[in-house]
Amino acid sequence: MNKGVKVRSMAWLMAAILVLSSLMGCATGTNSTEGNSSASNSKEETGAGPDYLNPVGEYPITKERITLTVMGMKDPGGTDWSELELFKRLAEKTNIDLKFELAEEDTFKEKKNIALVGGEYPDLILRGAEKIDEETYGPQGIFLDLTDLIDQYAPNIKALLDKEPAIKASVTSMDGKIYGLPYYFKTATTQGHLGFFDSQWMKNVGIETPPTTTDELYAMLKAFKEQDANGNGDPNDEIPFSVVGLTAFQNLLLPAFTGMTGGIGFDINDAGEVVYVPAMPEYKEALAYTHKLYKEGLIDREFSTQTAQQWQAKIKGGLVGVYNASPTLLDPETTKTEQLSLVPLTSPTNDKRVVKTPDSLYTSRAVITDKCKYPEAAIRLLDMFYATEEKAIDGFSGNTVFLGYEGEHWKYTDESKTYYEWIEPTTGFSDINKTVSVNMGLPGLLDFDAIPVNYPLMENKVRQVRENQVPYYRDAYPVNARFTAKESERGNVIENDLLTYVNLMTTKFIIGEENLDNFNSYIETLDKMGLPELLEIKTAALQRWNEAIK
């Protein structure tokens, strides 16, 4: 072979090697879903992850320091997340720095949408994505499919999804993929409804047992109004039942008349059919009852106009009988008597005692975008937030996000882990949120059943809820059922219009601005606004949900 031929052959060989190397580099380093899949396949074949990553279960997560950009929704006036102790400690443990771009709730959604549409979005979005975002940007590849990443790199998340089919169904998009991670919480202090009253008021008016029916509640409220129920010597300053807005109506009174817990919204009847509670005949009976309370001065005349601050002042001032709040709102030093929870009531139109099962799951708390060069590291970092207390990593678990670090910020006070107390200088959750963590709404698992020690009002609440609410919990229409993009677009418009109209008319019926003789006309308007179409959409989504949780 002559020298020229040799040179040309070597040149072609080098070129081929360079092209091959380039292709291999693209396959490994790309941010696309396909590229991530290739990296994952490489892990399965070789038994090791990408070169930059340490094996699952070993720390730090990455061999060299990396940075992930994060868009997050912060609390109003909250501490910048980069200043919080939790994120600083995680950075040292994992070798992953987080660079935050934060916005408060009133501006976050707009900024998020502008970023996603304009293509200028970060590696991760925390605490502010929505299901519709997943259904829109997941199939486009902007949000990464996390399904395989969870299987390979997130044992805590995988264990939770395997254990709880309803959670897996909630986070699985219409195309069968998982684009977002949830926030799931179970605490002793969660409750189904807010309806408490002072036991001493009941004794002061000569009633020996708490009401169990709407008629008995009426009798107790009437006694509160006509007698000196608060015992201050003035028989005319009592407000028998005070609320803000329609929350108490939909959580306490509607279930008593309908046997449903969907409130001013959708539910499922005993036949498995989707119903719109505000269109049920029993809704009229609930309105008539509440109007009677309002007309006779048994429910706060200012319920539809007062602020939360005005309402709380009435409760703390000892002027309110039944209050739509947790007893922990009260001043401990002025509260010496037991606060009782209303049991779920029955009525002439319903003999079932039901309380809405508290919502304990929020979807879309974290998504990883196609901008992320290190999706394996990102999912491993997020997986730490789903560690149970038993599987904590250097004291970090999902509970840590809520409470801070055990032994530093708080501690159990008994071997059964029934009670806990704060460790000075930490005195409560406000301190945690200022210096340690964002204690609510981040992706993760919160499983914490202890209650604070030396807090009688909290102990009172937990005991009352366990005795008088938990046995009657009933699920309503699944709030995390998934809808197609077309269903969402059309359904959201109808549902928002219905809710605005129903809230307006409900208030008018209660205060007497609208006569209940016009209830049939109200129903006709609901139909004209698209209720039958929305029921079809909700029914289709429910059928898919039932299949998903089998």
Side-chain angles (χ1 to χ4, degrees):
M1 183 181 296
N2 63 41
K3 185 175 181 181
V5 174
K6 270 189 175 182
V7 171
R8 288 194 297 271
S9 298
M10 288 298 294
W12 279 110
L13 179 60
M14 290 300 295
I17 291 173
L18 286 172
V19 170
L20 181 59
S21 298
S22 175
L23 289 173
M24 291 177 65
C26 289
T28 304
T30 181
N31 292 337
S32 69
T33 305
E34 182 179 9
N36 296 329
S37 176
S38 298
S40 299
N41 290 340
S42 175
K43 172 182 172 61
E44 289 181 339
E45 293 168 3
T46 65
D51 289 342
Y52 77 89
L53 202 67
N54 283 318
V56 173
E58 293 185 13
Y59 294 88
I61 290 175
T62 59
K63 296 173 183 177
E64 304 294 336
R65 201 82 168 191
I66 66 169
T67 298
L68 299 177
T69 56
V70 179
M71 176 181 285
M73 185 172 70
K74 69 191 291 282
D75 294 324
T79 304
D80 190 299
W81 294 1
S82 62
E83 299 299 317
L84 293 173
E85 185 177 343
L86 180 143
F87 291 113
K88 291 179 180 179
R89 290 198 190 186
L90 284 178
E92 292 307 308
K93 179 65 178 177
T94 64
N95 251 355
I96 303 173
D97 291 314
L98 299 179
K99 183 179 179 181
F100 295 108
E101 178 185 345
L102 305 174
E104 294 184 4
E105 185 175 6
D106 57 346
T107 60
F108 180 86
K109 186 173 183 178
E110 181 181 2
K111 289 186 176 182
K112 175 197 67 180
N113 291 341
I114 291 174
L116 289 170
V117 171
E120 298 295 328
Y121 47 86
D123 299 321
L124 284 80
I125 300 176
L126 298 184
R127 212 176 177 229
E130 301 173 38
K131 288 196 290 289
I132 187 62
D133 294 328
E134 293 181 26
E135 300 294 348
T136 301
Y137 297 107
Q140 293 180 27
I142 292 175
F143 290 176
L144 296 186
D145 176 12
L146 307 180
T147 312
D148 290 341
L149 289 170
I150 291 171
D151 284 343
Q152 298 165 21
Y153 299 101
N156 295 318
I157 299 173
K158 181 174 172 55
L160 178 63
L161 299 185
D162 288 345
K163 181 181 179 183
E164 303 282 354
I167 297 180
K168 187 172 184 178
S170 297
V171 300
T172 302
S173 293
M174 292 296 297
D175 61 4
K177 298 177 181 178
I178 296 175
Y179 298 110
L181 300 179
Y183 171 50
Y184 181 57
F185 58 96
K186 298 184 293 181
T187 67
T189 56
T190 305
Q191 60 199 40
H193 74 63
L194 293 167
F196 286 82
F197 62 97
D198 193 324
S199 60
Q200 190 61 48
W201 278 51
M202 190 174 68
K203 295 175 183 176
N204 288 345
V205 299
I207 296 177
E208 297 182 357
T209 58
T212 60
T213 70
T214 53
D215 288 342
E216 290 174 0
L217 175 63
Y218 170 79
M220 186 176 79
L221 295 178
K222 193 170 180 63
F224 284 174
K225 179 175 175 58
E226 295 175 349
Q227 303 179 46
D228 184 20
N230 60 9
N232 67 353
D234 183 354
N236 300 309
D237 66 348
E238 286 83 2
I239 303 172
F241 192 174
S242 187
V243 299
V244 176
L246 297 172
T247 304
F249 171 74
Q250 68 174 347
N251 289 342
L252 291 172
L253 301 181
L254 265 184
F257 285 90
T258 65
M260 300 286 181
T261 57
I264 302 177
F266 291 87
D267 209 328
I268 306 167
N269 63 20
D270 291 339
E273 301 164 333
V274 179
V275 296
Y276 190 53
V277 177
M280 296 176 66
E282 293 86 353
Y283 197 81
K284 181 179 180 180
E285 300 305 317
L287 290 171
Y289 177 85
T290 312
H291 172 63
K292 180 180 179 181
L293 298 184
Y294 182 86
K295 185 178 180 180
E296 297 185 18
L298 305 184
I299 192 168
D300 197 332
R301 291 294 183 86
E302 299 177 324
F303 82 91
S304 64
T305 58
Q306 66 185 342
T307 66
Q309 290 75 20
Q310 292 169 329
W311 165 70
Q312 289 179 14
K314 294 176 182 178
I315 298 171
K316 290 185 176 183
L319 303 178
V320 176
V322 177
Y323 51 92
N324 181 225
S326 166
T328 54
L329 168 74
L330 303 172
D331 296 322
E333 62 273 13
T334 63
T335 308
K336 308 299 181 185
T337 54
E338 186 176 26
Q339 304 298 302
L340 302 177
S341 166
L342 278 177
V343 299
L345 305 172
T346 59
S347 72
T349 62
N350 167 61
D351 61 1
K352 294 185 297 184
R353 302 190 187 281
V354 294
V355 177
K356 182 181 180 181
T357 304
D359 294 331
S360 58
L361 177 70
Y362 294 94
T363 61
S364 312
R365 298 299 87 188
V367 297
I368 303 174
T369 76
D370 62 347
K371 299 284 189 184
C372 185
K373 297 179 181 178
Y374 310 104
E376 301 88 358
I379 197 71
R380 280 193 56 187
L381 172 65
L382 292 169
D383 187 60
M384 296 174 69
F385 287 72
Y386 294 86
T388 60
E389 188 176 272
E390 295 75 22
K391 294 185 177 180
I393 302 102
D394 285 357
F396 180 80
S397 68
N399 292 351
T400 310
V401 182
F402 182 60
L403 293 150
Y405 288 85
E406 182 181 357
E408 297 181 50
H409 304 108
W410 66 279
K411 65 180 179 181
Y412 289 111
T413 61
D414 61 307
E415 291 185 2
S416 66
K417 297 184 176 181
T418 302
Y419 298 97
Y420 74 94
E421 66 180 2
W422 299 107
I423 300 174
E424 293 288 350
T426 303
T427 60
F429 290 113
S430 60
D431 293 328
I432 296 298
N433 280 321
K434 287 177 183 176
T435 61
V436 182
S437 176
V438 183
N439 84 315
M440 295 290 286
L442 285 171
L445 168 64
L446 168 61
D447 188 359
F448 190 71
D449 208 34
I451 59 177
V453 72
N454 298 324
Y455 195 171
L457 286 174
M458 182 63 79
E459 291 190 49
N460 182 129
K461 168 189 169 180
V462 171
R463 182 176 63 256
Q464 287 291 315
V465 169
R466 286 175 175 170
E467 292 176 0
N468 296 323
Q469 296 187 28
V470 174
Y472 306 102
Y473 278 172
R474 179 185 182 277
D475 294 338
Y477 187 93
V479 295
N480 288 308
R482 293 276 174 162
F483 299 87
T484 66
K486 183 178 180 180
E487 288 172 340
S488 293
E489 182 178 2
R490 177 61 180 153
N492 287 343
V493 171
I494 300 174
E495 190 161 9
N496 290 336
D497 288 346
L498 286 175
L499 183 60
T500 300
Y501 176 71
V502 168
N503 282 338
L504 174 65
M505 293 301 294
T506 296
T507 301
K508 286 186 173 184
F509 282 133
I510 290 173
I511 67 178
E513 285 188 8
E514 189 75 30
N515 195 300
L516 274 169
D517 291 341
N518 297 325
F519 189 78
N520 288 340
S521 175
Y522 152 82
I523 294 295
E524 290 172 1
T525 302
L526 295 180
D527 289 340
K528 291 176 182 178
M529 295 176 72
L531 177 57
E533 181 183 355
L534 186 55
L535 282 169
E536 291 180 4
I537 293 173
K538 293 284 187 178
T539 298
L542 178 64
Q543 291 171 347
R544 293 192 295 264
W545 172 266
N546 289 336
E547 286 296 318
I549 63 175
K550 283 183 178 179

